[in-house]
Amino acid sequence: MIRKLSRCVREYKKDTIMTPITATLEVVMEVIIPMLMAYLIDMGINQGDMGVIWKMGLLLVLCALVSLAFGVLSGFYGAKASTGFARNLRKDMYYKVQSYSFSNIDKFSTGSIVTRLTTDVSNVQNAFQMMIRIAVRAPMTLIFAMVMAFQVNSRLSLIFLAVMPILGLGLGFISTRAYPAFSRMFKHYDRMNTVVQENLRGVRVVKAFVREDYETKKFVEASEQIRRDSSLAEKILAFNSPLMQICMYGTILLISWFGAKLIVGSSMTTGQLMSMMSYAMQVLMSLMMLTMIFVMTTMSRASATRIVEILDEESDIASGAKNLKEVKDGSIRFEHVDFDYNKSGRSCLTDICLDIKPSQTVGILGGTGSGKSSLVQLIPRLYDVREGRVLVGGEDVRDYNVEALREEVAMVLQKNELFSGTIKENLRWGDENATNQDIERVCRLAQADGFIQGFPEKYDTYIEQGGSNVSGGQKQRLCIARALLKKPKILILDDSTSAVDTHTDALIREAFREEIPDTTKLIIAQRVASVQDADQIVVMDGGKIADVGSHQELLERCAIYREVYESQQKGESADAS
């Protein structure tokens, strides 16, 4: 885990190295100062020698200034290294998430990924800064101060050795008890973030169904779980301070008691006792800093584990060995394809065999859960088949370079998504170099130009996050225009005209026939009218292909298709009457 995280240091190696070096030099200056103070008291003040007082006084000021300079440098390098480390860590995590396939993303909730990119990274950043600065400074102070204290009086220094086991056992108990609570707390953070995101994205639905109280209850429950685990962890960590205080003041009292007896017995000078007190404070403060490291390490360990889970997750879809960069044409072939999500063994598609020629228009019809969306998502390799093959342009999709394949397949998903930005910026996802004329042309094809011209800012109209300021039908038409801008060899519309009226739907299909005749078009629809002019219609049922044929052929021989058609015809007749 540490090795994996340390790769994110990269260009901040110099700052990471300089932080402990300057911290060590700061410690060296700090442990010299009590020795100089002892000499000043014994040889200067007690002897009344002003020359020694001036000399030692100036030397003490110089040491203090040098220690301050090294401390400032250590803080500067530590802050730069830790913030740079956090930036690289977030960048690596975000890039890793971008490389995930749909099946990889299905393993993590959106709220969990957000928490890992924010709260968890902040915890690891704080721990990293502490490790390269405090975790070096504290042991160095402990070692150097102990060495100097033993030089001053070895018998009195044995007090430190008696205190350390007590402190060590206490820290071990605190660490082992607090870690599970922190682990649970971060999982509850995931849950709370998910609740907040769902509520904000579905705020219209929440208000329409008057479910504010229910959503508030969900949030309160998630928040309460965090409070309980956080309180438990903090209660355990609260033992750290009294334990440290007992050890610290107990050591000072013992040194004062035995030191005073040594001074009376002329075995020790006043200056030496003063230096011992200073070294005692340094030793105990370094132990306190070590306890802080234990606390931060305990908290960040859970965060680091969650971060590494993101970094270790490997996409199960990668470019094939052939790494083909060119798709010859828009032909599609399914050969005995079986598929299930997350390798659960429960097939969504079974023994799919289908042949689609270049430039054909293919309609796909079927009930909910029949496998329509699963079928088309295999074409651009959003998922991989379990058995069989999917061929595009005569080649297995697994042999293509993934980006090259997806560049030739434009897909308007069932859940349309627009991003915050202008209409032009959203459409240029299809082609970042598209001209204004190109954008207007595809919008006319998608029957979107009419309503866009009605906006005050027209194509510069700002789209809110998720397209919340446009209607469902407008969103669908913008997404179709965005897909057309790619000039793909294969265009897939996954129930993408469900929110538009039948007249607009007919105009879109007519534009497809006239303007992109060489593009292979797959149209998933609920309305028979949307696909009845297709070259062939695929009827799906229970993850299998029930029948394939033209509109007339299916009316004659496919009971499922005939039932859907007749029910819709009756519905239209009823509406007309």
Side-chain angles (χ1 to χ4, degrees), residues 329-518:
D329 56 44
S331 64
I332 305 167
R333 184 179 180 86
F334 290 82
E335 295 181 348
H336 302 286
V337 167
D338 286 2
F339 169 72
D340 63 84
Y341 291 99
N342 298 323
K343 300 179 176 60
S344 62
R346 299 173 61 184
S347 293
C348 301
L349 299 172
T350 304
D351 196 30
I352 301 295
C353 293
L354 181 63
D355 195 5
I356 301 170
K357 294 179 174 55
S359 75
Q360 275 193 332
T361 298
V362 178
I364 303 175
L365 232 66
T368 302
S370 59
K372 305 184 299 296
S373 296
S374 301
L375 180 75
V376 296
Q377 288 184 92
L378 300 177
I379 297 169
R381 282 194 78 195
L382 299 181
Y383 292 95
D384 264 340
V385 300
R386 186 182 70 202
E387 291 183 16
R389 295 197 304 167
V390 178
L391 290 84
V392 171
E395 299 285 350
D396 192 321
V397 292
R398 290 169 292 194
D399 291 333
Y400 282 105
N401 176 280
V402 174
E403 290 186 7
L405 172 65
R406 291 176 182 170
E407 282 293 335
E408 298 297 345
V409 181
M411 194 168 184
V412 184
L413 295 168
Q414 197 170 18
K415 294 181 180 179
N416 296 290
E417 190 68 45
L418 293 174
F419 298 87
S420 53
T422 65
I423 289 176
K424 283 182 182 177
E425 289 170 346
N426 268 279
L427 295 178
R428 284 196 172 110
W429 275 59
D431 180 4
E432 61 182 357
N433 299 315
T435 64
N436 290 340
Q437 291 75 20
D438 292 332
I439 290 173
E440 291 176 14
R441 184 182 70 82
V442 295
C443 285
R444 283 193 292 271
L445 289 178
Q447 304 302 309
D449 183 69
F451 72 80
I452 293 174
Q453 295 295 344
F455 293 143
E457 300 296 325
K458 295 182 170 53
Y459 283 86
D460 290 317
T461 299
Y462 190 83
I463 300 294
E464 300 293 342
Q465 183 181 13
S468 59
N469 59 333
V470 291
S471 70
Q474 290 171 339
K475 186 189 295 186
Q476 284 187 338
R477 282 175 276 174
L478 287 172
C479 290
I480 291 171
R482 180 174 64 190
L484 291 173
L485 206 54
K486 287 184 71 174
K487 302 180 181 67
K489 287 187 170 68
I490 299 171
L491 174 64
I492 300 170
L493 302 179
D494 187 355
D495 204 15
S496 303
T497 57
S498 58
V500 301
D501 58 82
T502 53
H503 177 65
T504 303
D505 186 15
L507 291 174
I508 293 172
R509 286 184 282 113
E510 183 181 351
F512 285 172
R513 284 194 300 271
E514 294 177 358
E515 299 291 338
I516 52 172
D518 297 329

Side-chain angles (χ1 to χ4, degrees), residues 204-303:
R204 288 171 173 79
V205 178
V206 172
K207 292 188 177 299
F209 284 87
V210 196
R211 298 289 281 176
E212 292 92 343
D213 290 343
Y214 174 74
E215 288 295 313
T216 300
K217 182 180 177 182
K218 277 168 57 179
F219 177 82
V220 169
E221 287 175 355
S223 182
E224 177 62 21
Q225 288 175 329
I226 293 173
R227 186 199 66 79
R228 283 200 299 265
D229 286 322
S230 179
S231 296
L232 175 61
E234 292 299 332
K235 285 175 183 177
I236 295 170
L237 293 178
F239 285 104
N240 176 58
S241 181
L243 176 65
M244 193 66 236
Q245 296 291 336
I246 290 170
C247 292
M248 178 185 293
Y249 293 121
T251 302
I252 291 173
L253 285 172
L254 290 172
I255 289 175
S256 301
W257 176 265
F258 290 110
K261 289 189 173 184
L262 291 173
I263 290 174
V264 171
S266 301
S267 299
M268 194 177 192
T269 65
T270 305
Q272 287 176 330
L273 180 60
M274 290 295 295
S275 66
M276 280 296 294
M277 296 290 288
S278 297
Y279 288 132
M281 289 300 297
Q282 288 181 355
V283 168
L284 295 168
M285 288 304 295
S286 67
L287 290 172
M288 181 176 283
M289 285 190 282
L290 285 173
T291 64
M292 290 171 57
I293 295 169
F294 269 105
V295 171
M296 183 56 67
T297 303
T298 300
M299 185 184 297
S300 63
R301 186 173 136 208
S303 293

Side-chain angles (χ1 to χ4, degrees), residues 17 57 63 72 153 156 164 196 200 222 271 283 297 345 368 467 480 511:
I17 294 170
C63 287
V72 170
N153 192 299
L156 204 57
M164 287 183 183
V196 171
L200 294 178
V283 168
T297 303
T368 302
I480 291 171

